[in-house]
Amino acid sequence: MTDRFRLTLAQLNPTVGDLAGNAELAREAWRAGRAAGADLVALPEMFLSGYQLQDLVRRPAFLADVAAHLEALARDCAEGPALALGAPHLEGVEVHNAYVVLEGGEVRARIFKHMLPNKDVFDEMRTFTPGAISGPYRVGPLRIGSPVCEDAWTEDVAEALAESGAEILLVPNGSPYRRDKQELRQNLMVSRVIETGLPLVYLNLVGGQDDQVFDGASFVLNPGGALAVQMPAHETAIAHVDFQRGPDGWRALEGERALQPDAWEQDYRVMVTGLSDYMRKTGFSKVLLGLSGGIDSALVAAIATDALGAENVRCVMLPSQYTSAHSLEDAAACAAALGCRLDEVPIAGPVEAVDRALAPLFARRAPDLAEENIQSRLRGLLLMALSNKFGEMLLTTGNKSEVAVGYATIYGDMAGGYNPIKDLYKMRVFQTCRWRNANHRDWMRGPAGEVIPRRIIDKPPSAELRADQKDEDSLPPYEVLDAILEALVDHDASVADLVAGGYDRDVVKKIEHLVYVSEYKRFQSAPGPRLTQRAFWLDRRYPIANRWRDPG
């Protein structure tokens, strides 16, 4: 019996529903593995269908189409290494999250996910039926156990596989990014290795799907938890990993250990990848955005340029009577630094026309928020008109602090198809701009250097909807606001917790109230990439009509 085994790991980027395209990616990976002399080519969880499927997986016609593509893959990859990949599977009336091993033109093994996650962005108890713990399967000389994603986050499945004869663990994953998650993954997988005494392969998806970005960063551990192979984060990659059997069992030979970026770089990469994949997978190639001269729109312009290239980004300045000269200058400087087109569409005339139309109804009422929102909504209308005319997706530019407290105008500056900074608090917006000015990577399509003018970063934020307006007129300073929001939103802290931490109770109660009453806006907001464990949408689900407030 041979004492060597070559495993080809394909860390690739599928598209939900593109069964033919995903199957072709699998064939290309299989051909690469065959050329390298692999015994098994492995792809991640739910690769054939893409992930997450949500209610698409409940359609019988979709499941039948998946099965047909799987059969075709088995036929096409009959002469060569085995091929393992994830796909939904209908068994009677039950739909399973399955991992399928193809060899010799047929299905040799089918493993059903046992532990279905029902937390964070996952709803798998709603869409799948949990399977029984499967035993290991044999490929060549090796008995392989495959806990599917969540199955490896607790000890039960891995220990059962080890006890039933598995010699390595191959863990296919569809694990989306959130800040600092890689350390958690590696710690958990080290626990499985120590508990079972077996080498472990952690194979993850890469690429964006709606609000989630899968960050890859697949790795291989040897018994004791030693890192043998580390694949890159946020990159498609194929790695050929050799295992050798010795007196103590199978061990992975050491291979490439790609450096992992820090959290600032990963967050920025996720925003870039989230946008570029959202565009590609929904059929768009060009974007436009309102470039106000403020920091949020400047950062979105930089992200869009890095994702799509300056030639595919249109910036539009829509000045009013309240727009300062420095905002006009700063917007122009930012667009020039990025190399983007900048158009100017003044809104003074449209505002005057709306004011005149509403004058009989607004008579004897002092100007207030209604007039401010008219400006924002006219900007949204004009930007959407440009989007419709030129087929360019409109990007919205509200940060997480504004999204949390409703400091945005629904049907105005919230208009758009995607929001790259939706999960980025304002203080992190400032630091991210500084990071981008100081750093450039090969995957960025925009220029190096100071692409966001320093004055944009340094000046006090303002919506410029009335004379001398500043954000702090109606909100606490952002360093205070963000600390309160992170506690309330990301950590479910109580009002009493925050007061005990030194925050003014009236300020905390005001922010709590704004978070709750703004829920209806978030229900109608554009998607954006998830960066934290409590991003708005699937991570945090609250009723719109809700009268409860923390009495603390």
Side-chain angles (χ1 to χ4, degrees), residues 179-228:
R179 196 175 298 136
D180 301 324
K181 190 175 184 181
Q182 183 69 356
E183 182 179 0
L184 173 63
R185 293 171 180 149
Q186 290 194 328
N187 287 341
L188 287 167
M189 296 309 108
V190 166
S191 296
R192 302 295 85 81
V193 165
I194 290 172
E195 291 156 1
T196 63
L198 301 179
L200 182 147
V201 177
Y202 182 99
L203 177 59
N204 197 16
L205 292 168
V206 71
Q209 174 59 39
D210 296 345
D211 65 315
Q212 294 162 46
V213 174
F214 300 93
D215 52 319
S218 306
F219 56 89
V220 180
L221 300 173
N222 270 321
L227 182 67

Side-chain angles (χ1 to χ4, degrees), residues 451-514:
V451 293
I452 301 170
R454 184 174 301 276
R455 189 166 68 175
I456 289 179
I457 300 172
D458 293 341
K459 67 185 178 183
S462 171
E464 293 192 328
L465 297 175
R466 63 176 183 269
D468 301 319
Q469 184 182 24
K470 299 290 185 293
D471 289 5
E472 290 185 12
D473 295 343
S474 53
L475 296 172
Y478 276 112
E479 57 267 26
V480 175
L481 176 64
D482 284 1
I484 293 172
L485 286 173
E486 190 168 348
L488 291 174
V489 174
D490 294 25
H491 302 295
D492 291 324
S494 67
V495 170
D497 291 336
L498 283 159
V499 172
Y503 293 98
D504 180 87
R505 185 180 186 278
D506 290 341
V507 172
V508 174
K509 289 295 291 180
K510 176 185 176 180
I511 301 308
E512 179 207 31
H513 174 73
L514 290 173

Side-chain angles (χ1 to χ4, degrees), residues 183-321:
E183 182 179 0
L184 173 63
R185 293 171 180 149
Q186 290 194 328
N187 287 341
L188 287 167
M189 296 309 108
V190 166
S191 296
R192 302 295 85 81
V193 165
I194 290 172
E195 291 156 1
T196 63
L198 301 179
L200 182 147
V201 177
Y202 182 99
L203 177 59
N204 197 16
L205 292 168
V206 71
Q209 174 59 39
D210 296 345
D211 65 315
Q212 294 162 46
V213 174
F214 300 93
D215 52 319
S218 306
F219 56 89
V220 180
L221 300 173
N222 270 321
L227 182 67
V229 175
Q230 174 65 68
M231 296 178 71
H234 308 287
E235 301 277 358
T236 58
I238 290 179
H240 307 292
V241 181
D242 289 322
F243 289 84
Q244 184 170 309
R245 180 163 42 197
D248 296 321
W250 290 91
R251 298 291 185 270
L253 302 185
E254 289 192 3
E256 178 190 3
R257 290 189 230 179
L259 294 176
Q260 300 300 292
D262 65 19
W264 292 103
E265 180 171 341
Q266 293 214 53
D267 275 8
Y268 191 80
R269 184 74 183 271
V270 165
M271 292 184 284
V272 169
T273 299
L275 174 59
S276 62
D277 274 2
Y278 189 77
M279 295 287 291
R280 179 175 61 84
K281 294 178 181 183
T282 56
F284 284 85
S285 59
K286 294 179 180 291
V287 297
L288 78 155
L289 65 135
L291 189 65
S292 67
I295 193 168
D296 297 321
S297 61
L299 178 57
V300 171
I303 291 167
T305 303
D306 284 335
L308 308 170
E311 69 277 10
N312 294 311
V313 180
R314 180 200 300 259
C315 298
V316 186
M317 171 46 114
L318 300 109
S320 74
Q321 62 174 313

